[in-house]
Amino acid sequence: MAEQERIHKTRQQETVDAQEAVRVDASRHDQLKNDLDELLDEIDEVLEDNAEEFVRNYVQKGGQ
Amino acid sequence: MGVAKVIGLETEYGVSGGTGDPIMSSSQLVTAYGHLGSYINWNFDDEHPGADARDARRFTSVAPLIETHIANTVLTNGARFYVDHAHPEYSGPEVRRASDAVLFDLAGDEVLRRAVTSVANGFGSQEPLIIHKNNSDGKGNSYGSHENYLVSRDVPFDDLISAMVPHFVSRSIFVGTGKVGAETESGQRREEWFHVSQRAEFFEEVVGLETTLKRPIINTRDEPHSDGDSYRRFHVITGDAQLSQVGIFLKVGTTAILLAALEEFGPRAFPASPDNPVAAMRTVGLDSTLASNFRLTDDRIMTALDLQRELLGVGKRYIDSCGGDLVGGDEEAHLIIAEWTAVLDDLASDRAAAATRVEWLAKLQLLEAYRDRHDLPATDPRLAAISLQWHDLRPDRCLQNRVGMRELWSRADIDTAVVQAPRDTRAFFRGEVIRKFGDSIAAANWDSVVFDLHDGVLRRVPMMEPLRGTSDLTSNLIDRCATPEDLLRELGV
């Protein structure tokens, strides 16, 4: 709400700038989200089939 | 007077698969890799004063080796590769720059990958070995990644304690590699499902000699591996073993600059320590919000970020007044300060940007996205699986190498560093004589090379000065000597 109020109070050009910035931000956010989604798909494929069992059995001797 | 910050990093890797016996697996890795070149024994003379170099024997076959410290070799890049406790350990060669410490640490990861392939070729019938570059198994067992820095013997040890404790307590915010779940009693009393540091919760003392039990923030081991009247080798055991290249650069660079600043300014230039350093270190190590604070002995209340900003101020003041000579040059020093400044700013206000360098944050972002996508509780075992597989050194399994973290070195640089020693420390002499005269070297260690010319006498070349034995000082000598006899004659040994 505070953000909307601030935008209403600015002059018209500033409002356009702010909206543009928000659009750019939104599209960058979408892009990042898309990248991450692709990455997560890949991780599902890469994760060991027996990953949970592998974690359970992963025991190391203490070292330094 | 400060001394050049000669630096070396050590990593104990997690090992699984194979016969299931980690000591056997570690021995297979070291012997199989060692026999790709000349297998050069480690000389324990300086570590066990009673030992005689003449007892050193060369390995002639790939026998199953059970005793700790038996499988032990020295590489042409100047590193030591051996079995320590139940882990394969790579101790990188001495370097003068944080960026070179990164390079030779990454070379160690590659040595392990090649060792795994060698073992698979030699012991094809057993399960493949799997190596993780991490610091705990998620079940309360921790193993180390240690740093070593050359410090002037003029600095009283108490000053090292008071100056460096604030750094080791707070630097986890860019050194930590992150993990799912607590492993110690003190950690399990807390709610956090994700920890910033793998190592921090294992620390129990402020100062001590131990590395495996009652681990201290400041380790008092005093093995200079050099002229002990001039130097101390400051042994740091608090850090996480990182895959993030900028992360390693920051861990080493910030610590080197602060040690040089201590030599120059003394401990009064440094912020006060937390009044309970162990509790503060553990708190920082498990708090991914970075909001936790603690009280200093001067009664101020600070977060880890606050304390790091003060330490950055000390580092800047040092570089402004003394330049970068002791930390690898002005360019290197300014890069450290720039990265240090940027990482603290980003951790405070742009975590997505910080995640391109800070490993725990990159891991946390991945885990949170995975949780969101599948609507998982924090206890879902797949999260622990992602956290573990993050550190898997197999390129097609590793998750850390898929999240776009910034890199400093190319694949080709790393391949070169696997076989070629740094040029600006004594590691150059060690690596080059092993390359050229490996068949005539009975053993080597940090401060000597022992030649065996097969005439019944072992000849030891001492290297007590870490900044001698460089390419500038010895490459002509090594080039013009056709035989080890020529070399020893010229050296007067």
Side-chain angles (χ1 to χ4, degrees), chain B residues 11 13-14 105-106 108-114 116 130-134 242-243 388-401:
Chain B
T11 306
Y13 294 87
D105 196 54
L106 301 171
D109 301 344
E110 183 58 25
V111 165
L112 266 292
R113 285 187 205 100
R114 294 182 189 188
V116 166
I130 301 169
I131 306 297
H132 288 83
K133 191 184 194 185
N134 61 1
Q242 298 156 288
L243 290 164
L388 176 59
Q389 199 168 319
W390 180 271
H391 306 273
D392 191 326
L393 282 192
R394 292 173 295 181
D396 59 334
R397 293 292 180 181
C398 182
L399 299 182
Q400 183 275 338
N401 67 11

PDB file of all heavy atoms in Angstrom, chain B residues 11 13-14 105-106 108-114 116 130-134 242-243 388-401:
ATOM      1  N   THR B  11      43.217 -30.057   2.938  1.00  0.00           N
ATOM      2  CA  THR B  11      41.839 -30.546   2.929  1.00  0.00           C
ATOM      3  C   THR B  11      41.802 -32.041   3.216  1.00  0.00           C
ATOM      4  O   THR B  11      42.481 -32.816   2.541  1.00  0.00           O
ATOM      5  CB  THR B  11      41.171 -30.298   1.562  1.00  0.00           C
ATOM      6  OG1 THR B  11      41.297 -28.918   1.232  1.00  0.00           O
ATOM      7  CG2 THR B  11      39.701 -30.678   1.600  1.00  0.00           C
ATOM      8  N   TYR B  13      39.332 -34.999   2.765  1.00  0.00           N
ATOM      9  CA  TYR B  13      38.105 -35.248   2.010  1.00  0.00           C
ATOM     10  C   TYR B  13      37.298 -36.382   2.636  1.00  0.00           C
ATOM     11  O   TYR B  13      37.864 -37.308   3.224  1.00  0.00           O
ATOM     12  CB  TYR B  13      38.458 -35.638   0.569  1.00  0.00           C
ATOM     13  CG  TYR B  13      39.096 -34.530  -0.235  1.00  0.00           C
ATOM     14  CD1 TYR B  13      40.478 -34.328  -0.204  1.00  0.00           C
ATOM     15  CD2 TYR B  13      38.334 -33.669  -1.015  1.00  0.00           C
ATOM     16  CE1 TYR B  13      41.074 -33.321  -0.943  1.00  0.00           C
ATOM     17  CE2 TYR B  13      38.916 -32.653  -1.755  1.00  0.00           C
ATOM     18  CZ  TYR B  13      40.293 -32.485  -1.714  1.00  0.00           C
ATOM     19  OH  TYR B  13      40.872 -31.475  -2.441  1.00  0.00           O
ATOM     20  N   GLY B  14      35.992 -36.317   2.460  1.00  0.00           N
ATOM     21  CA  GLY B  14      35.143 -37.448   2.812  1.00  0.00           C
ATOM     22  C   GLY B  14      35.289 -38.518   1.746  1.00  0.00           C
ATOM     23  O   GLY B  14      35.376 -38.210   0.560  1.00  0.00           O
ATOM     24  N   ASP B 105      44.235 -25.178  -4.280  1.00  0.00           N
ATOM     25  CA  ASP B 105      43.185 -25.918  -3.583  1.00  0.00           C
ATOM     26  C   ASP B 105      42.303 -26.650  -4.608  1.00  0.00           C
ATOM     27  O   ASP B 105      41.969 -27.825  -4.443  1.00  0.00           O
ATOM     28  CB  ASP B 105      42.354 -24.944  -2.742  1.00  0.00           C
ATOM     29  CG  ASP B 105      41.499 -25.662  -1.704  1.00  0.00           C
ATOM     30  OD1 ASP B 105      42.067 -26.445  -0.920  1.00  0.00           O
ATOM     31  OD2 ASP B 105      40.275 -25.444  -1.684  1.00  0.00           O
ATOM     32  N   LEU B 106      41.958 -25.957  -5.695  1.00  0.00           N
ATOM     33  CA  LEU B 106      41.167 -26.581  -6.762  1.00  0.00           C
ATOM     34  C   LEU B 106      41.966 -27.691  -7.441  1.00  0.00           C
ATOM     35  O   LEU B 106      41.409 -28.714  -7.849  1.00  0.00           O
ATOM     36  CB  LEU B 106      40.766 -25.534  -7.807  1.00  0.00           C
ATOM     37  CG  LEU B 106      39.937 -24.361  -7.296  1.00  0.00           C
ATOM     38  CD1 LEU B 106      39.795 -23.307  -8.382  1.00  0.00           C
ATOM     39  CD2 LEU B 106      38.566 -24.822  -6.838  1.00  0.00           C
ATOM     40  N   GLY B 108      43.932 -29.611  -5.924  1.00  0.00           N
ATOM     41  CA  GLY B 108      43.770 -30.755  -5.021  1.00  0.00           C
ATOM     42  C   GLY B 108      42.495 -31.533  -5.324  1.00  0.00           C
ATOM     43  O   GLY B 108      42.496 -32.770  -5.327  1.00  0.00           O
ATOM     44  N   ASP B 109      41.408 -30.809  -5.592  1.00  0.00           N
ATOM     45  CA  ASP B 109      40.158 -31.493  -5.954  1.00  0.00           C
ATOM     46  C   ASP B 109      40.375 -32.340  -7.209  1.00  0.00           C
ATOM     47  O   ASP B 109      39.872 -33.462  -7.309  1.00  0.00           O
ATOM     48  CB  ASP B 109      39.035 -30.482  -6.214  1.00  0.00           C
ATOM     49  CG  ASP B 109      38.749 -29.594  -5.003  1.00  0.00           C
ATOM     50  OD1 ASP B 109      39.195 -29.942  -3.893  1.00  0.00           O
ATOM     51  OD2 ASP B 109      38.071 -28.563  -5.181  1.00  0.00           O
ATOM     52  N   GLU B 110      41.121 -31.791  -8.156  1.00  0.00           N
ATOM     53  CA  GLU B 110      41.377 -32.515  -9.409  1.00  0.00           C
ATOM     54  C   GLU B 110      42.287 -33.732  -9.157  1.00  0.00           C
ATOM     55  O   GLU B 110      42.102 -34.790  -9.772  1.00  0.00           O
ATOM     56  CB  GLU B 110      41.997 -31.562 -10.443  1.00  0.00           C
ATOM     57  CG  GLU B 110      42.251 -32.164 -11.793  1.00  0.00           C
ATOM     58  CD  GLU B 110      40.999 -32.736 -12.478  1.00  0.00           C
ATOM     59  OE1 GLU B 110      39.871 -32.294 -12.166  1.00  0.00           O
ATOM     60  OE2 GLU B 110      41.166 -33.640 -13.313  1.00  0.00           O
ATOM     61  N   VAL B 111      43.269 -33.575  -8.248  1.00  0.00           N
ATOM     62  CA  VAL B 111      44.114 -34.726  -7.880  1.00  0.00           C
ATOM     63  C   VAL B 111      43.229 -35.859  -7.362  1.00  0.00           C
ATOM     64  O   VAL B 111      43.392 -37.028  -7.741  1.00  0.00           O
ATOM     65  CB  VAL B 111      45.161 -34.317  -6.811  1.00  0.00           C
ATOM     66  CG1 VAL B 111      45.777 -35.551  -6.147  1.00  0.00           C
ATOM     67  CG2 VAL B 111      46.255 -33.458  -7.440  1.00  0.00           C
ATOM     68  N   LEU B 112      42.256 -35.519  -6.517  1.00  0.00           N
ATOM     69  CA  LEU B 112      41.370 -36.554  -5.981  1.00  0.00           C
ATOM     70  C   LEU B 112      40.563 -37.222  -7.092  1.00  0.00           C
ATOM     71  O   LEU B 112      40.394 -38.448  -7.106  1.00  0.00           O
ATOM     72  CB  LEU B 112      40.429 -35.941  -4.924  1.00  0.00           C
ATOM     73  CG  LEU B 112      40.877 -36.036  -3.454  1.00  0.00           C
ATOM     74  CD1 LEU B 112      40.838 -37.501  -2.992  1.00  0.00           C
ATOM     75  CD2 LEU B 112      42.261 -35.475  -3.216  1.00  0.00           C
ATOM     76  N   ARG B 113      40.068 -36.416  -8.048  1.00  0.00           N
ATOM     77  CA  ARG B 113      39.300 -37.001  -9.165  1.00  0.00           C
ATOM     78  C   ARG B 113      40.175 -37.965  -9.961  1.00  0.00           C
ATOM     79  O   ARG B 113      39.750 -39.060 -10.327  1.00  0.00           O
ATOM     80  CB  ARG B 113      38.787 -35.905 -10.105  1.00  0.00           C
ATOM     81  CG  ARG B 113      37.620 -35.139  -9.547  1.00  0.00           C
ATOM     82  CD  ARG B 113      37.046 -34.175 -10.603  1.00  0.00           C
ATOM     83  NE  ARG B 113      36.382 -33.100  -9.913  1.00  0.00           N
ATOM     84  CZ  ARG B 113      36.888 -31.885  -9.687  1.00  0.00           C
ATOM     85  NH1 ARG B 113      38.063 -31.560 -10.186  1.00  0.00           N
ATOM     86  NH2 ARG B 113      36.218 -30.988  -8.994  1.00  0.00           N
ATOM     87  N   ARG B 114      41.406 -37.563 -10.227  1.00  0.00           N
ATOM     88  CA  ARG B 114      42.301 -38.430 -11.008  1.00  0.00           C
ATOM     89  C   ARG B 114      42.679 -39.669 -10.211  1.00  0.00           C
ATOM     90  O   ARG B 114      42.842 -40.759 -10.770  1.00  0.00           O
ATOM     91  CB  ARG B 114      43.558 -37.656 -11.429  1.00  0.00           C
ATOM     92  CG  ARG B 114      43.215 -36.546 -12.411  1.00  0.00           C
ATOM     93  CD  ARG B 114      44.445 -35.782 -12.883  1.00  0.00           C
ATOM     94  NE  ARG B 114      44.033 -34.609 -13.649  1.00  0.00           N
ATOM     95  CZ  ARG B 114      44.855 -33.820 -14.324  1.00  0.00           C
ATOM     96  NH1 ARG B 114      46.154 -34.069 -14.333  1.00  0.00           N
ATOM     97  NH2 ARG B 114      44.386 -32.773 -14.985  1.00  0.00           N
ATOM     98  N   VAL B 116      40.764 -41.164  -8.059  1.00  0.00           N
ATOM     99  CA  VAL B 116      39.603 -42.060  -8.132  1.00  0.00           C
ATOM    100  C   VAL B 116      39.653 -42.871  -9.426  1.00  0.00           C
ATOM    101  O   VAL B 116      39.429 -44.088  -9.432  1.00  0.00           O
ATOM    102  CB  VAL B 116      38.288 -41.257  -8.040  1.00  0.00           C
ATOM    103  CG1 VAL B 116      37.095 -42.124  -8.448  1.00  0.00           C
ATOM    104  CG2 VAL B 116      38.090 -40.712  -6.625  1.00  0.00           C
ATOM    105  N   ILE B 130      33.835 -42.603  -3.960  1.00  0.00           N
ATOM    106  CA  ILE B 130      33.168 -41.306  -4.096  1.00  0.00           C
ATOM    107  C   ILE B 130      33.799 -40.345  -3.094  1.00  0.00           C
ATOM    108  O   ILE B 130      33.968 -40.693  -1.917  1.00  0.00           O
ATOM    109  CB  ILE B 130      31.655 -41.441  -3.825  1.00  0.00           C
ATOM    110  CG1 ILE B 130      31.030 -42.434  -4.812  1.00  0.00           C
ATOM    111  CG2 ILE B 130      30.978 -40.073  -3.926  1.00  0.00           C
ATOM    112  CD1 ILE B 130      29.613 -42.828  -4.473  1.00  0.00           C
ATOM    113  N   ILE B 131      34.161 -39.169  -3.581  1.00  0.00           N
ATOM    114  CA  ILE B 131      34.846 -38.184  -2.736  1.00  0.00           C
ATOM    115  C   ILE B 131      33.948 -36.965  -2.545  1.00  0.00           C
ATOM    116  O   ILE B 131      33.388 -36.444  -3.509  1.00  0.00           O
ATOM    117  CB  ILE B 131      36.164 -37.729  -3.402  1.00  0.00           C
ATOM    118  CG1 ILE B 131      37.050 -38.936  -3.756  1.00  0.00           C
ATOM    119  CG2 ILE B 131      36.904 -36.748  -2.506  1.00  0.00           C
ATOM    120  CD1 ILE B 131      37.495 -39.737  -2.570  1.00  0.00           C
ATOM    121  N   HIS B 132      33.831 -36.534  -1.313  1.00  0.00           N
ATOM    122  CA  HIS B 132      33.111 -35.288  -1.016  1.00  0.00           C
ATOM    123  C   HIS B 132      34.082 -34.280  -0.410  1.00  0.00           C
ATOM    124  O   HIS B 132      34.867 -34.627   0.471  1.00  0.00           O
ATOM    125  CB  HIS B 132      31.971 -35.527  -0.019  1.00  0.00           C
ATOM    126  CG  HIS B 132      30.814 -36.276  -0.603  1.00  0.00           C
ATOM    127  ND1 HIS B 132      30.790 -37.650  -0.700  1.00  0.00           N
ATOM    128  CD2 HIS B 132      29.641 -35.841  -1.140  1.00  0.00           C
ATOM    129  CE1 HIS B 132      29.647 -38.030  -1.265  1.00  0.00           C
ATOM    130  NE2 HIS B 132      28.931 -36.959  -1.540  1.00  0.00           N
ATOM    131  N   LYS B 133      34.001 -33.046  -0.880  1.00  0.00           N
ATOM    132  CA  LYS B 133      34.776 -31.967  -0.252  1.00  0.00           C
ATOM    133  C   LYS B 133      33.835 -31.268   0.716  1.00  0.00           C
ATOM    134  O   LYS B 133      33.120 -30.332   0.359  1.00  0.00           O
ATOM    135  CB  LYS B 133      35.279 -30.984  -1.309  1.00  0.00           C
ATOM    136  CG  LYS B 133      36.303 -29.992  -0.765  1.00  0.00           C
ATOM    137  CD  LYS B 133      36.694 -28.979  -1.827  1.00  0.00           C
ATOM    138  CE  LYS B 133      37.948 -28.202  -1.433  1.00  0.00           C
ATOM    139  NZ  LYS B 133      38.240 -27.148  -2.417  1.00  0.00           N
ATOM    140  N   ASN B 134      33.799 -31.782   1.933  1.00  0.00           N
ATOM    141  CA  ASN B 134      32.925 -31.212   2.964  1.00  0.00           C
ATOM    142  C   ASN B 134      33.611 -31.388   4.321  1.00  0.00           C
ATOM    143  O   ASN B 134      34.771 -31.803   4.374  1.00  0.00           O
ATOM    144  CB  ASN B 134      31.544 -31.874   2.911  1.00  0.00           C
ATOM    145  CG  ASN B 134      31.598 -33.383   3.163  1.00  0.00           C
ATOM    146  OD1 ASN B 134      32.657 -33.950   3.394  1.00  0.00           O
ATOM    147  ND2 ASN B 134      30.449 -34.030   3.099  1.00  0.00           N
ATOM    148  N   GLN B 242      35.808 -25.270   0.978  1.00  0.00           N
ATOM    149  CA  GLN B 242      34.904 -24.641   0.013  1.00  0.00           C
ATOM    150  C   GLN B 242      35.157 -25.103  -1.413  1.00  0.00           C
ATOM    151  O   GLN B 242      36.285 -25.367  -1.810  1.00  0.00           O
ATOM    152  CB  GLN B 242      35.082 -23.113   0.078  1.00  0.00           C
ATOM    153  CG  GLN B 242      34.731 -22.498   1.423  1.00  0.00           C
ATOM    154  CD  GLN B 242      35.457 -21.172   1.624  1.00  0.00           C
ATOM    155  OE1 GLN B 242      36.669 -21.157   1.838  1.00  0.00           O
ATOM    156  NE2 GLN B 242      34.733 -20.083   1.552  1.00  0.00           N
ATOM    157  N   LEU B 243      34.085 -25.129  -2.191  1.00  0.00           N
ATOM    158  CA  LEU B 243      34.191 -25.284  -3.638  1.00  0.00           C
ATOM    159  C   LEU B 243      34.100 -23.920  -4.314  1.00  0.00           C
ATOM    160  O   LEU B 243      34.602 -23.727  -5.414  1.00  0.00           O
ATOM    161  CB  LEU B 243      33.089 -26.212  -4.161  1.00  0.00           C
ATOM    162  CG  LEU B 243      33.249 -27.688  -3.776  1.00  0.00           C
ATOM    163  CD1 LEU B 243      31.948 -28.455  -3.989  1.00  0.00           C
ATOM    164  CD2 LEU B 243      34.378 -28.331  -4.571  1.00  0.00           C
ATOM    165  N   LEU B 388      24.304 -32.884   0.808  1.00  0.00           N
ATOM    166  CA  LEU B 388      25.495 -33.734   0.719  1.00  0.00           C
ATOM    167  C   LEU B 388      26.027 -33.776  -0.721  1.00  0.00           C
ATOM    168  O   LEU B 388      27.224 -33.604  -0.962  1.00  0.00           O
ATOM    169  CB  LEU B 388      25.165 -35.149   1.205  1.00  0.00           C
ATOM    170  CG  LEU B 388      26.290 -36.194   1.083  1.00  0.00           C
ATOM    171  CD1 LEU B 388      27.527 -35.767   1.867  1.00  0.00           C
ATOM    172  CD2 LEU B 388      25.801 -37.559   1.567  1.00  0.00           C
ATOM    173  N   GLN B 389      25.112 -33.960  -1.666  1.00  0.00           N
ATOM    174  CA  GLN B 389      25.556 -34.104  -3.056  1.00  0.00           C
ATOM    175  C   GLN B 389      26.143 -32.802  -3.620  1.00  0.00           C
ATOM    176  O   GLN B 389      26.883 -32.817  -4.589  1.00  0.00           O
ATOM    177  CB  GLN B 389      24.396 -34.593  -3.932  1.00  0.00           C
ATOM    178  CG  GLN B 389      24.896 -35.183  -5.240  1.00  0.00           C
ATOM    179  CD  GLN B 389      23.808 -35.931  -5.988  1.00  0.00           C
ATOM    180  OE1 GLN B 389      23.015 -36.645  -5.385  1.00  0.00           O
ATOM    181  NE2 GLN B 389      23.760 -35.752  -7.290  1.00  0.00           N
ATOM    182  N   TRP B 390      25.828 -31.698  -2.990  1.00  0.00           N
ATOM    183  CA  TRP B 390      26.445 -30.403  -3.328  1.00  0.00           C
ATOM    184  C   TRP B 390      27.967 -30.530  -3.407  1.00  0.00           C
ATOM    185  O   TRP B 390      28.618 -29.937  -4.245  1.00  0.00           O
ATOM    186  CB  TRP B 390      26.060 -29.410  -2.228  1.00  0.00           C
ATOM    187  CG  TRP B 390      26.589 -28.019  -2.357  1.00  0.00           C
ATOM    188  CD1 TRP B 390      27.776 -27.529  -1.874  1.00  0.00           C
ATOM    189  CD2 TRP B 390      25.935 -26.915  -2.993  1.00  0.00           C
ATOM    190  NE1 TRP B 390      27.899 -26.199  -2.173  1.00  0.00           N
ATOM    191  CE2 TRP B 390      26.770 -25.794  -2.848  1.00  0.00           C
ATOM    192  CE3 TRP B 390      24.717 -26.766  -3.657  1.00  0.00           C
ATOM    193  CZ2 TRP B 390      26.446 -24.538  -3.357  1.00  0.00           C
ATOM    194  CZ3 TRP B 390      24.380 -25.512  -4.157  1.00  0.00           C
ATOM    195  CH2 TRP B 390      25.245 -24.424  -4.006  1.00  0.00           C
ATOM    196  N   HIS B 391      28.542 -31.332  -2.491  1.00  0.00           N
ATOM    197  CA  HIS B 391      30.003 -31.413  -2.306  1.00  0.00           C
ATOM    198  C   HIS B 391      30.644 -32.583  -3.058  1.00  0.00           C
ATOM    199  O   HIS B 391      31.842 -32.800  -2.923  1.00  0.00           O
ATOM    200  CB  HIS B 391      30.323 -31.557  -0.809  1.00  0.00           C
ATOM    201  CG  HIS B 391      29.714 -30.497   0.039  1.00  0.00           C
ATOM    202  ND1 HIS B 391      30.331 -29.292   0.283  1.00  0.00           N
ATOM    203  CD2 HIS B 391      28.523 -30.442   0.688  1.00  0.00           C
ATOM    204  CE1 HIS B 391      29.550 -28.542   1.055  1.00  0.00           C
ATOM    205  NE2 HIS B 391      28.450 -29.214   1.313  1.00  0.00           N
ATOM    206  N   ASP B 392      29.832 -33.368  -3.798  1.00  0.00           N
ATOM    207  CA  ASP B 392      30.342 -34.543  -4.524  1.00  0.00           C
ATOM    208  C   ASP B 392      31.312 -34.068  -5.607  1.00  0.00           C
ATOM    209  O   ASP B 392      30.975 -33.224  -6.428  1.00  0.00           O
ATOM    210  CB  ASP B 392      29.131 -35.280  -5.138  1.00  0.00           C
ATOM    211  CG  ASP B 392      29.488 -36.659  -5.688  1.00  0.00           C
ATOM    212  OD1 ASP B 392      30.620 -36.829  -6.189  1.00  0.00           O
ATOM    213  OD2 ASP B 392      28.623 -37.542  -5.620  1.00  0.00           O
ATOM    214  N   LEU B 393      32.539 -34.625  -5.617  1.00  0.00           N
ATOM    215  CA  LEU B 393      33.535 -34.128  -6.573  1.00  0.00           C
ATOM    216  C   LEU B 393      33.328 -34.640  -7.992  1.00  0.00           C
ATOM    217  O   LEU B 393      33.973 -34.165  -8.929  1.00  0.00           O
ATOM    218  CB  LEU B 393      34.959 -34.492  -6.109  1.00  0.00           C
ATOM    219  CG  LEU B 393      35.573 -33.631  -4.999  1.00  0.00           C
ATOM    220  CD1 LEU B 393      37.066 -33.934  -4.875  1.00  0.00           C
ATOM    221  CD2 LEU B 393      35.361 -32.148  -5.226  1.00  0.00           C
ATOM    222  N   ARG B 394      32.446 -35.611  -8.212  1.00  0.00           N
ATOM    223  CA  ARG B 394      32.184 -36.042  -9.591  1.00  0.00           C
ATOM    224  C   ARG B 394      31.478 -34.901 -10.324  1.00  0.00           C
ATOM    225  O   ARG B 394      30.414 -34.440  -9.881  1.00  0.00           O
ATOM    226  CB  ARG B 394      31.307 -37.300  -9.595  1.00  0.00           C
ATOM    227  CG  ARG B 394      32.015 -38.533  -9.040  1.00  0.00           C
ATOM    228  CD  ARG B 394      31.084 -39.702  -8.890  1.00  0.00           C
ATOM    229  NE  ARG B 394      30.044 -39.434  -7.875  1.00  0.00           N
ATOM    230  CZ  ARG B 394      29.107 -40.306  -7.526  1.00  0.00           C
ATOM    231  NH1 ARG B 394      29.050 -41.484  -8.111  1.00  0.00           N
ATOM    232  NH2 ARG B 394      28.215 -39.995  -6.605  1.00  0.00           N
ATOM    233  N   PRO B 395      32.060 -34.452 -11.441  1.00  0.00           N
ATOM    234  CA  PRO B 395      31.494 -33.278 -12.125  1.00  0.00           C
ATOM    235  C   PRO B 395      30.025 -33.462 -12.515  1.00  0.00           C
ATOM    236  O   PRO B 395      29.261 -32.505 -12.508  1.00  0.00           O
ATOM    237  CB  PRO B 395      32.374 -33.123 -13.366  1.00  0.00           C
ATOM    238  CG  PRO B 395      33.651 -33.801 -13.019  1.00  0.00           C
ATOM    239  CD  PRO B 395      33.292 -34.934 -12.107  1.00  0.00           C
ATOM    240  N   ASP B 396      29.636 -34.703 -12.841  1.00  0.00           N
ATOM    241  CA  ASP B 396      28.240 -34.901 -13.266  1.00  0.00           C
ATOM    242  C   ASP B 396      27.302 -35.091 -12.075  1.00  0.00           C
ATOM    243  O   ASP B 396      26.094 -35.227 -12.254  1.00  0.00           O
ATOM    244  CB  ASP B 396      28.143 -36.104 -14.215  1.00  0.00           C
ATOM    245  CG  ASP B 396      28.629 -37.381 -13.559  1.00  0.00           C
ATOM    246  OD1 ASP B 396      29.453 -37.313 -12.627  1.00  0.00           O
ATOM    247  OD2 ASP B 396      28.185 -38.478 -13.976  1.00  0.00           O
ATOM    248  N   ARG B 397      27.843 -35.125 -10.861  1.00  0.00           N
ATOM    249  CA  ARG B 397      27.012 -35.264  -9.662  1.00  0.00           C
ATOM    250  C   ARG B 397      27.000 -34.007  -8.803  1.00  0.00           C
ATOM    251  O   ARG B 397      26.023 -33.723  -8.106  1.00  0.00           O
ATOM    252  CB  ARG B 397      27.508 -36.445  -8.804  1.00  0.00           C
ATOM    253  CG  ARG B 397      27.320 -37.794  -9.459  1.00  0.00           C
ATOM    254  CD  ARG B 397      25.846 -38.135  -9.560  1.00  0.00           C
ATOM    255  NE  ARG B 397      25.650 -39.432 -10.182  1.00  0.00           N
ATOM    256  CZ  ARG B 397      24.461 -39.975 -10.419  1.00  0.00           C
ATOM    257  NH1 ARG B 397      23.366 -39.309 -10.086  1.00  0.00           N
ATOM    258  NH2 ARG B 397      24.359 -41.147 -10.977  1.00  0.00           N
ATOM    259  N   CYS B 398      28.127 -33.309  -8.803  1.00  0.00           N
ATOM    260  CA  CYS B 398      28.269 -32.107  -7.975  1.00  0.00           C
ATOM    261  C   CYS B 398      27.123 -31.138  -8.266  1.00  0.00           C
ATOM    262  O   CYS B 398      26.751 -30.915  -9.417  1.00  0.00           O
ATOM    263  CB  CYS B 398      29.604 -31.435  -8.302  1.00  0.00           C
ATOM    264  SG  CYS B 398      29.929 -29.969  -7.317  1.00  0.00           S
ATOM    265  N   LEU B 399      26.541 -30.559  -7.213  1.00  0.00           N
ATOM    266  CA  LEU B 399      25.487 -29.560  -7.424  1.00  0.00           C
ATOM    267  C   LEU B 399      26.045 -28.142  -7.356  1.00  0.00           C
ATOM    268  O   LEU B 399      25.534 -27.234  -7.997  1.00  0.00           O
ATOM    269  CB  LEU B 399      24.372 -29.741  -6.395  1.00  0.00           C
ATOM    270  CG  LEU B 399      23.662 -31.101  -6.450  1.00  0.00           C
ATOM    271  CD1 LEU B 399      22.544 -31.156  -5.421  1.00  0.00           C
ATOM    272  CD2 LEU B 399      23.124 -31.385  -7.846  1.00  0.00           C
ATOM    273  N   GLN B 400      27.122 -27.953  -6.588  1.00  0.00           N
ATOM    274  CA  GLN B 400      27.685 -26.607  -6.457  1.00  0.00           C
ATOM    275  C   GLN B 400      28.077 -26.033  -7.817  1.00  0.00           C
ATOM    276  O   GLN B 400      27.954 -24.830  -8.040  1.00  0.00           O
ATOM    277  CB  GLN B 400      28.907 -26.642  -5.518  1.00  0.00           C
ATOM    278  CG  GLN B 400      29.556 -25.288  -5.244  1.00  0.00           C
ATOM    279  CD  GLN B 400      30.564 -24.885  -6.319  1.00  0.00           C
ATOM    280  OE1 GLN B 400      31.094 -25.721  -7.054  1.00  0.00           O
ATOM    281  NE2 GLN B 400      30.830 -23.586  -6.409  1.00  0.00           N
ATOM    282  N   ASN B 401      28.548 -26.896  -8.734  1.00  0.00           N
ATOM    283  CA  ASN B 401      29.029 -26.367 -10.025  1.00  0.00           C
ATOM    284  C   ASN B 401      27.887 -26.071 -11.005  1.00  0.00           C
ATOM    285  O   ASN B 401      28.127 -25.734 -12.149  1.00  0.00           O
ATOM    286  CB  ASN B 401      30.069 -27.318 -10.646  1.00  0.00           C
ATOM    287  CG  ASN B 401      29.464 -28.651 -11.058  1.00  0.00           C
ATOM    288  OD1 ASN B 401      28.247 -28.818 -11.069  1.00  0.00           O
ATOM    289  ND2 ASN B 401      30.320 -29.616 -11.377  1.00  0.00           N
TER     290      ASN B 401
END
